[in-house]
Amino acid sequence: MSKRYLKAEDLYALKSVADPRLSTNGKDLVYVETSISEEKDEYVSNLFYINVEEKNAPVQWTYGNDRNHSPRWSPTEDKLAFVSNRSGKNQIYVIHANGGEARQVTTSIYGASNPIWSPDGKKIAFNVSLREDEKLEDTDKKEEKKIVPLEVDKMKYKSDSSGFWDGKYSQIAIVELETGKIELVTEGNRDYQLQGWSPDGKSLAVTADFSENLDFSFVSDVFLLELETKKFEKITPGTGYFSGATWSPNGRYIGILGHEREFENATLVKIWVYDTEQKELSCLTAESDLLIGDFAIGDFQQGAVSPGLLWAEDNESFYFLASDRGNTVVYYGSLKGEMYPALLERQHVYGFTTGGELNRAVVAISKPTLQGELFLLDVPTGQLTQLTNVNSEYANEVALAEVEEIEFKSKDDWDLHGWLMKPAQFEEGKKYPLILEIHGGPHAMYANTYFHEFQMLAAEGYAVLFINPRGSHGYGQKFVDAVRGDYGGRDYADLMEAVDYVLEKYDFIDVNRLGVTGGSYGGFMTNWIVGHTNRFKAAVTQRSISNWISFYGVSDIGYYFNAWQIKSELEDAETLWKHSPLAYVGNVDTPLLILHSEKDFRCPIEQAEQLYIALKHRKKETKFIRFPESNHELSRSGKPSLRIARLHYILNWFKEYIK
């Protein structure tokens, strides 16, 4: 039986597996499986269990059409804490490993998240939101939904992820499981994020910003909160972003991920270790050009979690993820300074757990033709054994397009790297249109991972080109920093030279049928491209930036992002305007579709409105699509029906204008 080709609606049939958690016994594994309820137009997540030694079929542990996630094993390994919205709000539940009903252990008015067990397994610490004078005990109080004016007296009053600030701060509380007693251990008018519990049970690791003026502070420090005295000890220098704190088993060392903002938000994340006995913080990767963490982007996975440093039983060794040339790699490291890859393949590792083991790990892996599955990794041999097969029926039914990696030199002699995806029904001797895809960030990384949008375009007969131009992560500090102050310069040239390269190398691409699209920074670049060349027959700009002058005041990050990235303040409007695609709107002859979300606070919709009206006023070919109740993350985690509608708009625009 021949396979069919992918459709946008296949999103409803696919499942995502993420956040694997291996217990310290090295055999019990839980993970989160997310699917989409087409009837409810919502995501559904449940917990599943596998014994990795027996490699038995997964056993479902939670049921229903809710979102159950964030599973965390108890130290005694007989219980599991997790977060569920089954009561209407995210609350923390505990379920026994041998079965039975899950027990709700929090009833916080605004919900609870991020459960972390005490070392003795008798308590759970968690994050909770509260207004400055609210008490945690107000569990009978109902959250008010009436419409009231929004009083604004600070600059950081909105965010794309959480909307307008409503006066609540993230605090930390602890629930005693036997009695149900809950204690609030932080309070006041700043946010605290829980990181971990010390092995001796005496302290919590938390992140916070203790700066006096938070509007002008862009740091995150790691603190040790002594539970008995409630005193804070700052263990990072107050110079940048530090998080992901994890304790070694004996409690002596704390692994931390972060950087000191040497290149603002283009700075590579490094590994730091704090010695609690010597009271010293050291950077283990100070001389390395390796980027720590997973910076790959896709449009499919739900609930992926960054693991930080995963310590081994010897208290000196650890594993971590690194982003490197379009892959995420599992690395081994040690306090002695050893660093080498333990799993180096063409892949995107978006989940990773060891349970404290040195020789065994479970990894979540995606590839261009693999949506994502869990594998057991034997570290000494590098052998992978597949544990899940959640999309096997789909894989047997649908043919996916393969990708080919490309490497070439730019005109100024920089190494550039990317991929070309051939049409799924490719035939030798035929000519095909090409779509250039541009990622956001700009400090992100296209990778060897599944991309539903790319596969849809390939299934419809398009070749898809995607590269990591300078400014992208994964190619060293100099490469990622090169875009700052040069938006529309060498980054634009990299993309155009990539198109030239594939046109010269691959004779099946039709030079007269080219399209371009991208979102966020990729939307900015799409706007820039159509204002500087007419080589593309059609373009689709998504959640884009068109005017850096207005972006300064309307984006949740605008007033500092301009300075960091364009290297210009509002007083230098001439430079901001020079880098604004809106300044070149009179040059646009490419039919341009504009897609934008109504509640996008990162790149607010006024950016699209300005562009649309300027184009229409000049009688240019354009159309404007506004997505209701959606933010900057529409393409990745937005309402499923709107995600699919978005894909159809993109496809139909290219079909109309690329004949």
Side-chain angles (χ1 to χ4, degrees):
M1 184 175 113
S2 61
K3 293 185 177 182
R4 67 172 178 84
Y5 295 98
L6 182 145
K7 302 177 294 185
E9 289 78 7
D10 288 348
L11 202 60
Y12 286 125
L14 293 168
K15 298 174 183 177
S16 167
V17 290
D19 198 11
R21 297 283 166 165
L22 192 62
S23 71
T24 54
N25 65 24
K27 64 178 182 179
D28 294 320
L29 174 76
V30 291
Y31 63 92
V32 182
E33 180 179 298
T34 302
S35 58
I36 297 174
S37 168
E38 186 172 0
E39 181 182 354
K40 291 190 172 185
D41 199 18
E42 293 178 349
Y43 300 95
V44 175
S45 300
N46 279 297
L47 307 183
F48 284 74
Y49 165 85
I50 294 176
N51 184 310
V52 300
E53 290 185 347
E54 298 176 1
K55 301 179 181 62
N56 55 348
V59 177
Q60 188 167 347
W61 271 15
T62 64
Y63 293 84
N65 291 321
D66 307 302
R67 299 207 72 169
N68 302 285
H69 57 91
S70 305
R72 304 292 182 264
W73 284 107
S74 68
T76 53
E77 299 173 347
D78 61 339
K79 293 185 288 292
L80 191 78
F82 65 97
V83 178
S84 176
N85 66 352
R86 61 184 68 180
S87 67
K89 293 280 185 186
N90 278 332
Q91 302 289 355
I92 295 171
Y93 293 75
V94 172
I95 189 171
H96 280 270
N98 57 6
E101 289 290 329
R103 177 168 67 97
Q104 183 175 340
V105 298
T106 66
T107 55
S108 304
I109 179 175
Y110 307 118
S113 63
N114 191 22
I116 293 181
W117 289 89
S118 64
D120 61 8
K122 296 180 179 180
K123 300 176 182 179
I124 294 175
F126 59 95
N127 274 106
V128 63
S129 294
L130 290 172
R131 293 186 172 88
E132 189 172 354
D133 297 323
E134 274 184 320
K135 297 185 181 300
L136 193 62
E137 297 78 34
D138 293 340
T139 54
D140 294 330
K141 178 181 171 185
K142 291 186 177 180
E143 186 175 3
E144 295 182 359
K145 293 293 186 181
K146 66 180 181 180
I147 298 176
V148 296
L150 178 68
E151 298 182 11
V152 176
D153 62 1
K154 62 179 188 174
M155 297 174 76
K156 295 178 183 176
Y157 71 93
K158 62 181 178 180
S159 89
D160 186 68
S161 60
S162 55
F164 290 118
W165 185 66
D166 57 3
K168 293 195 282 285
Y169 295 92
S170 177
Q171 304 293 353
I172 297 170
I174 295 175
V175 58
E176 191 175 276
L177 295 180
E178 185 174 340
T179 65
K181 179 184 175 182
I182 296 181
E183 177 190 10
L184 193 64
V185 296
T186 64
E187 59 184 3
N189 59 353
R190 64 185 69 248
D191 295 305
Y192 300 89
Q193 190 65 28
L194 179 61
Q195 301 289 312
W197 206 317
S198 65
D200 63 8
K202 295 179 179 180
S203 302
L204 298 178
V206 305
T207 51
D209 183 355
F210 275 24
S211 304
E212 186 174 332
N213 190 337
L214 295 178
D215 278 338
F216 293 91
S217 177
F218 306 98
V219 302
S220 171
D221 277 304
V222 178
F223 295 82
L224 300 185
L225 170 57
E226 188 178 14
L227 292 173
E228 184 176 346
T229 64
K230 302 297 189 293
K231 290 183 178 179
F232 288 89
E233 177 191 356
K234 188 170 76 168
I235 64 173
T236 50
T239 53
Y241 300 97
F242 297 92
S243 63
T246 57
W247 255 285
S248 64
N250 65 2
R252 177 169 178 177
Y253 302 105
I254 302 173
I256 298 169
L257 304 185
H259 62 75
E260 295 188 275
R261 290 183 52 202
E262 298 96 323
F263 303 90
E264 296 297 359
N265 61 328
T267 312
L268 299 188
V269 175
K270 302 175 180 65
I271 294 175
W272 303 71
V273 171
Y274 181 75
D275 185 333
T276 62
E277 290 185 7
Q278 300 296 322
K279 305 290 184 183
E280 291 179 352
L281 179 71
S282 57
C283 183
L284 300 187
T285 58
E287 305 303 319
S288 173
D289 223 13
L290 185 66
L291 173 64
I292 311 303
D294 173 14
F295 286 83
I297 57 170
D299 65 351
F300 178 71
Q301 299 302 336
Q302 301 292 321
V305 175
S306 179
L309 259 60
L310 299 179
W311 291 90
E313 312 99 310
D314 64 5
N315 297 293
E316 293 187 354
S317 305
F318 49 81
Y319 291 99
F320 61 93
L321 294 181
S323 296
D324 187 22
R325 293 188 56 78
N327 301 299
T328 49
V329 183
V330 176
Y331 263 80
Y332 166 87
S334 77
L335 297 178
K336 299 175 183 177
E338 299 169 289
M339 301 280 169
Y340 56 82
L343 180 63
L344 179 59
E345 301 286 346
R346 292 182 176 180
Q347 67 198 1
H348 173 203
V349 179
Y350 63 91
F352 180 39
T353 178
T354 65
E357 292 263 338
L358 260 178
N359 296 321
R360 174 184 289 176
V362 173
V363 288
I365 295 177
S366 177
K367 297 182 179 182
T369 56
L370 178 72
Q371 289 83 14
E373 299 288 356
L374 299 184
F375 296 81
L376 181 65
L377 169 65
D378 182 77
V379 177
T381 65
Q383 181 179 350
L384 289 169
T385 303
Q386 189 164 340
L387 297 173
T388 64
N389 215 345
V390 297
N391 293 308
S392 58
E393 291 184 16
Y394 180 83
N396 292 332
E397 179 187 347
V398 178
L400 297 178
E402 298 285 348
V403 300
E404 179 180 335
E405 291 199 39
I406 59 172
E407 296 183 83
F408 60 98
K409 288 278 189 181
S410 68
K411 289 182 179 178
D412 61 345
D413 205 35
W414 284 47
D415 293 322
L416 295 176
H417 172 235
W419 297 261
L420 181 68
M421 181 179 286
K422 289 183 177 180
Q425 304 179 56
F426 178 80
E427 295 179 25
E428 291 287 350
K430 289 186 66 174
K431 289 279 190 178
Y432 293 93
L434 173 77
I435 306 299
L436 171 65
E437 289 269 5
I438 310 169
H439 69 61
H443 311 309
M445 182 182 76
Y446 275 143
N448 281 301
T449 193
Y450 178 78
F451 230 111
H452 196 69
E453 178 182 328
F454 298 179
Q455 289 289 349
M456 178 200 71
L457 291 170
E460 293 288 341
Y462 297 91
V464 182
L465 171 63
F466 50 109
I467 77 157
N468 287 320
R470 65 195 74 187
S472 302
H473 265 316
Y475 303 87
Q477 185 62 77
K478 181 181 178 182
F479 193 89
V480 71
D481 187 54
V483 73
R484 296 172 64 229
D486 191 37
Y487 275 45
R490 281 304 317 177
D491 52 349
Y492 166 65
D494 287 349
L495 292 162
M496 294 304 96
E497 289 169 24
V499 174
D500 294 338
Y501 173 80
V502 296
L503 286 174
E504 181 180 348
K505 183 175 181 180
Y506 301 95
D507 59 6
F508 65 84
I509 300 173
D510 189 339
V511 66
N512 296 311
R513 292 192 291 162
L514 305 179
V516 60
T517 185
S520 196
Y521 164 82
F524 156 83
M525 185 52 70
T526 299
N527 297 339
W528 186 267
I529 285 171
V530 297
H532 288 78
T533 179
N534 292 326
R535 72 188 304 183
F536 296 93
K537 294 298 182 184
V540 181
T541 184
Q542 307 170 54
R543 55 189 186 280
S544 74
I545 298 163
S546 65
N547 182 351
W548 290 111
I549 297 175
S550 63
F551 183 84
Y552 167 90
V554 297
S555 169
D556 62 347
I557 62 173
Y559 71 96
Y560 54 90
F561 191 86
N562 280 8
W564 292 359
Q565 291 292 313
I566 308 301
K567 293 189 175 181
S568 179
E569 299 281 2
L570 191 59
E571 289 78 8
D572 185 10
E574 182 179 350
T575 297
L576 293 177
W577 187 244
K578 182 182 75 172
H579 289 282
S580 296
L582 196 63
Y584 310 95
V585 71
N587 300 336
V588 177
D589 290 320
T590 307
L592 181 64
L593 176 65
I594 303 169
L595 307 181
H596 221 107
S597 296
E598 296 282 2
K599 292 187 175 181
D600 188 335
F601 289 164
R602 183 58 40 86
C603 298
I605 198 167
E606 64 87 31
Q607 294 284 304
E609 291 170 332
Q610 291 187 68
L611 181 62
Y612 173 71
I613 292 300
L615 289 168
K616 291 295 282 187
H617 191 219
R618 289 158 180 77
K619 297 182 171 57
K620 307 289 185 176
E621 191 68 30
T622 188
K623 183 181 285 187
F624 184 18
I625 311 298
R626 306 172 66 121
F627 292 89
E629 300 300 317
S630 303
N631 68 3
H632 200 65
E633 296 299 307
L634 168 66
S635 65
R636 297 178 277 261
S637 58
K639 186 166 281 293
S641 61
L642 294 181
R643 288 176 65 190
I644 291 170
R646 168 189 163 275
L647 291 171
H648 279 296
Y649 278 118
I650 294 170
L651 178 62
N652 291 338
W653 190 260
F654 287 137
K655 280 184 173 181
E656 181 175 356
Y657 290 100
I658 303 178
K659 304 297 186 182

